[in-house]
Amino acid sequence: MSKKKHLALPRATMLRKKAIQIRLNEAEHKALDAYCSRFGVENRSRWIRELLMSEVIHRLESDVPLLFREEEMR
């Protein structure tokens, strides 16, 4: 008898209740399909969400106010 792995359910605060829809033109959709096929992306929703959120977090972290101007730190 094989045992199935059971994934722990996320906490109630981590459930995704909000939705975002995007529209692509034909060329963008074709490029997305080609990328997913070539690199084995099986879950597009998760991949797009992770890609988007990593960019958002990176930009927010790099755009923090500085105590001194860049010229003063040199």
Side-chain angles (χ1 to χ4, degrees):
M1 215 172 25
S2 66
K3 293 183 180 181
K4 292 183 180 179
K5 288 185 179 181
H6 292 283
L7 299 175
L9 294 175
R11 297 182 309 225
T13 58
M14 297 297 291
L15 292 177
R16 294 180 183 95
K17 296 179 182 179
K18 304 293 182 183
I20 295 177
Q21 292 182 356
I22 61 169
R23 296 199 179 269
L24 304 174
N25 63 31
E26 191 65 34
E28 293 168 335
H29 188 264
K30 188 176 179 180
L32 182 63
D33 280 343
Y35 182 94
C36 291
S37 295
R38 182 174 179 185
F39 294 105
V41 176
E42 294 178 359
N43 187 334
R44 286 187 199 183
S45 178
R46 182 180 69 206
W47 176 71
I48 292 170
R49 182 177 57 250
E50 289 173 355
L51 187 65
L52 174 68
M53 292 310 299
S54 66
E55 180 65 20
V56 168
I57 290 169
H58 173 74
R59 286 196 181 192
L60 287 174
E61 287 177 345
S62 66
D63 194 32
V64 295
L66 300 175
L67 185 57
F68 301 102
R69 291 190 310 258
E70 188 174 338
E71 302 86 34
E72 294 174 344
M73 293 190 291
R74 292 183 189 183

